[in-house]
Amino acid sequence: MSSPSQTTGSAKVDAIVQQAAVTAPAKLTGPQLYSRFALAGAVCCSVTHGALTPVDVVKTRIQLDPATYNNGMIGGFRKVIQSEGAGALLTGLGPTFAGYFLQGAFKFGGYEFFKQQSINLMGLENASQYRTGVYLASAAAAEFFADIALCPLEATRIRLVSEPTYANGLIGGFGKMFKTEGIGAFYAGFGPILFKQIPYTMSKFVVYEKVAEFAFSVFPKKDLSDIAQTGVNLGSGLIAGFAAALVSQPADTMLSKINKSKGAPGEGTTTRLIKIGKELGLRGSYTGIGARLFMVGTLTAFQFAIYGDLKKALGATGGVEISK
């Protein structure tokens, strides 16, 4: 038989547990959770790509006209400023921001979604054991849908950068391409963008996950401050960005080439790609790799840092982790 003090103590414990259950934030699931993942991804991609628009302008000029822009990234900056003014470094900012806002939402939100579907299909234990395959498959599926959204805006961006007098900004460039060349012009580079972005994203996520997993095995996440966790995200993202840039560079160069101008009458996309590939060769396909390593490494590092912090701020903590 319980004493009055034991009964009182038990009641207090029950009250504390009930209060904790009321005050503890419920984990989000379903559309509420994935919409937050998507928003965090949209913001981190649009902000980082938008901020690095000047580097992207120089990188694209080097790819499209290596004979003129033959002094590396710093020389490319100087040449653009001298010939066109500093404002030219922001060419394509509108389509860059809009395109990567959409792409980031599908990429990061889709990655989390497909990763969870893999866990549901395989079970947590199997998904954890074969997590590299889960990361790769989830990233590939997410990027496919992201590229459908990105491709028209990326085609507009490249046209604006390659032909500075083509149109005035996103709306003007988008409208002119649609009116003069039709909707097919927006997807002329869909093959190259898939060839570029899917390996890029697969490399980006799997390398990030592996590097972060190693870092947190050495420095347990539960023992790290929020600032230290952001530092791990930055470092892991930087390494992932370098790997992704190297893997996807040839397709990035081909994408710039195919969107520079429209093809000859009756010339199909496949024929144009084969022709461009032969003209470039392996060495030519890595034109501008220095600028792109800097750009992709930097933006990927900050993407994962921003994404991790935004997920916390938005309460998107309902995802299941399969890292060891």
Side-chain angles (χ1 to χ4, degrees):
M1 187 171 168
S2 300
S3 66
S5 63
Q6 287 176 321
T7 303
T8 303
S10 177
K12 286 181 178 179
V13 171
D14 290 343
I16 292 171
V17 171
Q18 289 174 2
Q19 181 64 27
V22 171
T23 57
K27 282 194 172 184
L28 299 171
T29 59
Q32 284 189 322
L33 176 64
Y34 293 109
S35 63
R36 284 165 170 79
F37 286 146
L39 177 59
V43 172
C44 78
C45 284
S46 60
V47 167
T48 51
H49 278 277
L52 286 169
T53 294
V55 178
D56 208 11
V57 168
V58 174
K59 182 266 299 181
T60 302
R61 294 288 176 85
I62 292 171
Q63 290 174 326
L64 296 177
D65 190 5
T68 301
Y69 296 90
N70 56 6
N71 295 316
M73 185 170 68
I74 302 301
F77 270 102
R78 289 173 178 165
K79 194 157 288 186
V80 170
I81 292 170
Q82 288 172 358
S83 60
E84 302 172 48
L89 293 172
L90 295 178
T91 303
L93 177 61
T96 296
F97 190 90
Y100 283 96
F101 187 90
L102 291 174
Q103 192 238 23
F106 282 100
K107 176 187 287 188
F108 281 86
Y111 177 70
E112 301 281 6
F113 173 79
F114 287 116
K115 191 165 64 169
Q116 182 62 62
Q117 299 316 301
S118 298
I119 294 168
N120 294 344
L121 181 66
M122 301 171 64
L124 182 58
E125 186 176 340
N126 284 332
S128 181
Q129 183 177 354
Y130 300 105
R131 59 192 179 281
T132 300
V134 171
Y135 297 149
L136 291 170
S138 300
E143 186 59 46
F144 177 81
F145 292 102
D147 289 343
I148 294 174
L150 173 65
C151 199
L153 292 156
E154 182 69 353
T156 304
R157 181 195 70 80
I158 292 173
R159 185 64 62 85
L160 292 172
V161 172
S162 62
E163 299 179 34
T165 59
Y166 182 75
N168 186 21
L170 167 61
I171 295 175
F174 193 94
K176 184 175 180 179
M177 281 188 73
F178 180 76
K179 184 177 180 180
T180 59
E181 300 174 46
I183 195 168
F186 294 123
Y187 285 95
F190 189 58
I193 209 171
L194 288 177
F195 185 55
K196 165 196 166 186
Q197 287 293 138
I198 288 181
Y200 167 90
T201 300
M202 292 169 74
S203 304
K204 170 178 172 175
F205 277 109
V206 77
V207 172
Y208 168 80
E209 296 274 17
K210 291 295 185 179
V211 175
E213 181 179 326
F214 173 77
F216 287 131
S217 71
V218 177
F219 306 103
K221 194 172 185 178
K222 61 183 178 63
D223 298 333
L224 295 180
S225 66
D226 286 346
I227 293 176
Q229 289 182 35
T230 300
V232 171
N233 288 337
L234 275 169
S236 302
L238 182 65
I239 296 171
F242 287 155
L246 289 169
V247 167
S248 61
Q249 175 67 13
D252 184 69
T253 304
M254 292 183 75
L255 180 65
S256 295
K257 290 284 189 182
I258 201 169
N259 281 316
K260 181 180 180 181
S261 59
K262 58 184 178 181
E267 187 178 36
T269 300
T270 303
T271 303
R272 292 178 68 195
L273 289 174
I274 293 171
K275 181 180 177 182
I276 290 170
K278 288 179 178 178
E279 290 173 352
L280 287 172
L282 181 62
R283 184 174 180 178
S285 69
Y286 276 89
T287 302
I289 186 61
R292 192 155 184 267
L293 278 171
F294 174 80
M295 174 186 163
V296 174
T298 302
L299 72 85
T300 305
F302 282 101
Q303 275 178 12
F304 280 111
I306 294 169
Y307 182 65
D309 289 347
L310 275 180
K311 283 199 300 181
K312 292 177 187 175
L314 294 169
T317 59
V320 178
E321 294 299 328
I322 55 176
S323 59
K324 294 291 186 181

